Amino acid sequence: MDNEQLKQEIVRLKKEKNAVILGHYYQRNEIQDLSDYIGDSLALAQKAEQCDSDIIVFCGVHFMAETAKILNPSRKVLLPDMEASCSLAESCEGSAFARFKAEHPDHMVISYINCSAEIKALSDLICTSGNAEKLVRALPEEQKIIFAPDKNLGGYINSVTGRNMLLWDGVCMVHDAMRAENVLKLKIEHPDAAVIAHPECNGALLKVADFVGSTKAMLTYIQQSGKKKFIVATETGILYEMRKNNPDKEFIVVPMGDNCNCADCSYMKLNTLEKLYLCLRDEKPEIVMSPELIEQAKKPIVRMLDMSKQLGIIK
Ligand code: 13P
Ligand code: SF4
């Protein structure tokens, strides 16, 4: 089948099977085009919770599909490629984290949604990059906190809130690899551009950014800014949405390293049209979890969604 036939088959199967496709902004362009909803991890978690289709095909990475299953366990949740992991989730293994937590019994645990269900089950509260700062600010000042698994996001929240959260030593392999020196070189080449960065980037890079925010916050910033040019320190997939919404503006990607001109998450890009088609046709690979794990992992996610509503971050 060529790409056009694959797309037609995906649309046909989706209807026949009463399925919905949820796609993250970092997915390949053609997958974003086929998605019923495109969003960042917070918006997609909310969509998954509200979804009444029989099947949810999650075009994103494993922890996102797992979150969808946790929030809506009666649906069949499919992920086109089970290997679509995340360096943050991989950095934080259950038994090592349980030991770390046991060493600090007076701390509450806030985990970034980019972690396994096992880590969620060990957490008191989940956050995303879109709500982390506000959720942390809403907690009593004297509350001691462990923040896992992203030390860059946690460090950024510490710096803007004045907290001293204990940080797990994990990073996003895409954002952490981007270097401040490369941003400065781009700034010299494009003095009229604003630098916008995702808080998963390292602290040195965040210091030279004009704006730091989640995927959604960056999209809003670009639309509201009078600037015409942006140096973008985040995953390449989001450029598709940025360009669609702002055809008159220019976007320059910060490369992941000196030998690489792109900033692609290799995990996110594992999902392809072929795999999406096969996944809908065969209804696999499917996310399967024990009811006990679902119940434990659900509590801190529901707490995040409830707090996000109370704080006016989501409706
Ligand atoms: P958000 O979708 O929360 O911005 O997270 C970015 C990311 O790295 C997803 O894997
Ligand atoms: Fe994980 Fe980074 Fe890829 Fe997001 S971009 S899925 S945080 S490795």
Side-chain angles (χ1 to χ4, degrees):
M1 264 192 260
D2 64 23
N3 278 357
E4 273 321 301
Q5 287 166 320
L6 281 170
K7 285 180 195 169
Q8 281 169 18
E9 276 302 287
I10 289 165
V11 173
R12 185 187 66 75
L13 284 166
K14 204 175 65 163
K15 208 168 167 194
E16 183 187 297
K17 300 194 175 203
N18 187 28
V20 69
I21 300 178
L22 303 184
H24 191 270
Y25 284 126
Y26 296 175
Q27 291 293 287
R28 294 167 186 272
N29 297 354
E30 60 275 20
I31 292 188
Q32 293 193 38
D33 285 340
L34 285 165
S35 299
D36 297 289
Y37 301 100
I38 316 171
D40 62 2
S41 35
L42 179 59
L44 291 177
Q46 214 189 359
K47 279 283 170 225
E49 185 191 34
Q50 294 159 351
C51 177
D52 55 9
S53 306
D54 295 321
I55 297 177
I56 298 174
V57 184
F58 211 113
C59 291
V61 291
H62 188 266
F63 75 80
M64 296 180 176
E66 231 179 25
T67 304
K69 183 71 186 173
I70 293 166
L71 286 170
N72 208 337
S74 60
R75 312 289 145 197
K76 186 180 256 191
V77 178
L78 307 173
L79 176 65
D81 190 324
M82 273 295 171
E83 299 297 310
S85 181
C86 165
S87 67
L88 279 168
E90 303 265 307
S91 78
C92 198
E93 185 272 321
S95 52
F97 189 67
R99 279 198 300 279
F100 181 66
K101 183 181 159 176
E103 284 162 17
H104 305 283
D106 53 344
H107 286 57
M108 79 175 275
V109 176
I110 305 183
S111 295
Y112 189 29
I113 199 164
N114 298 38
C115 65
S116 66
E118 208 180 342
I119 300 301
K120 289 186 175 80
L122 290 165
S123 305
D124 300 297
L125 178 63
I126 298 301
C127 71
T128 72
S129 58
N131 59 20
E133 184 182 335
K134 285 192 177 147
L135 295 189
V136 170
R137 283 191 194 279
L139 297 168
E141 258 171 55
E142 61 283 5
Q143 177 66 60
K144 290 182 181 169
I145 301 170
I146 288 174
F147 188 90
D150 188 356
K151 70 172 178 190
N152 287 342
L153 175 62
Y156 172 70
I157 305 291
N158 273 346
S159 74
V160 291
T161 60
R163 294 261 179 174
N164 188 21
M165 300 188 295
L166 269 183
L167 309 177
W168 183 260
D169 189 13
V171 292
C172 160
M173 64 184 189
V174 180
H175 292 87
D176 188 61
M178 295 174 188
R179 298 197 357 241
E181 298 91 277
N182 287 335
V183 173
L184 293 174
K185 277 186 206 154
L186 287 170
K187 263 181 118 159
I188 292 168
E189 275 172 49
H190 307 276
D192 50 337
V195 177
I196 58 172
H198 194 283
E200 286 174 13
C201 293
N202 59 66
L205 189 150
L206 294 179
K207 281 205 182 86
V208 299
D210 298 301
F211 177 76
V212 178
S214 67
T215 306
K216 182 76 204 321
M218 278 192 268
L219 288 169
T220 309
Y221 177 82
I222 292 165
Q223 268 184 315
Q224 291 173 352
S225 165
K227 293 262 184 192
K228 289 282 177 211
K229 238 189 211 186
F230 300 87
I231 295 166
V232 182
T234 192
E235 211 273 352
T236 330
I238 187 63
L239 292 174
Y240 190 47
E241 183 74 13
M242 287 178 178
R243 290 188 173 124
K244 261 198 293 190
N245 296 343
N246 307 277
D248 58 327
K249 298 190 178 181
E250 194 184 331
F251 302 95
I252 300 134
V253 182
V254 178
M256 255 199 302
D258 291 335
N259 301 321
C260 163
N261 268 329
C262 79
D264 284 341
C265 172
S266 49
Y267 291 122
M268 282 279 181
K269 302 304 189 256
L270 281 176
N271 297 324
T272 60
L273 275 185
E274 287 84 357
K275 289 179 201 167
L276 174 54
Y277 161 70
L278 291 172
C279 158
L280 265 166
R281 188 192 71 182
D282 303 338
E283 299 187 20
K284 62 177 194 193
E286 182 184 355
I287 302 286
V288 182
M289 299 167 71
S290 73
E292 296 77 28
L293 182 57
I294 289 179
E295 198 193 316
Q296 273 309 110
K298 189 171 183 167
K299 289 176 202 162
I301 311 177
V302 169
R303 187 170 172 198
M304 166 188 81
L305 292 172
D306 289 347
M307 280 180 75
S308 298
K309 281 176 200 154
Q310 279 160 18
L311 294 167
I313 305 165
I314 55 173
K315 285 189 195 122

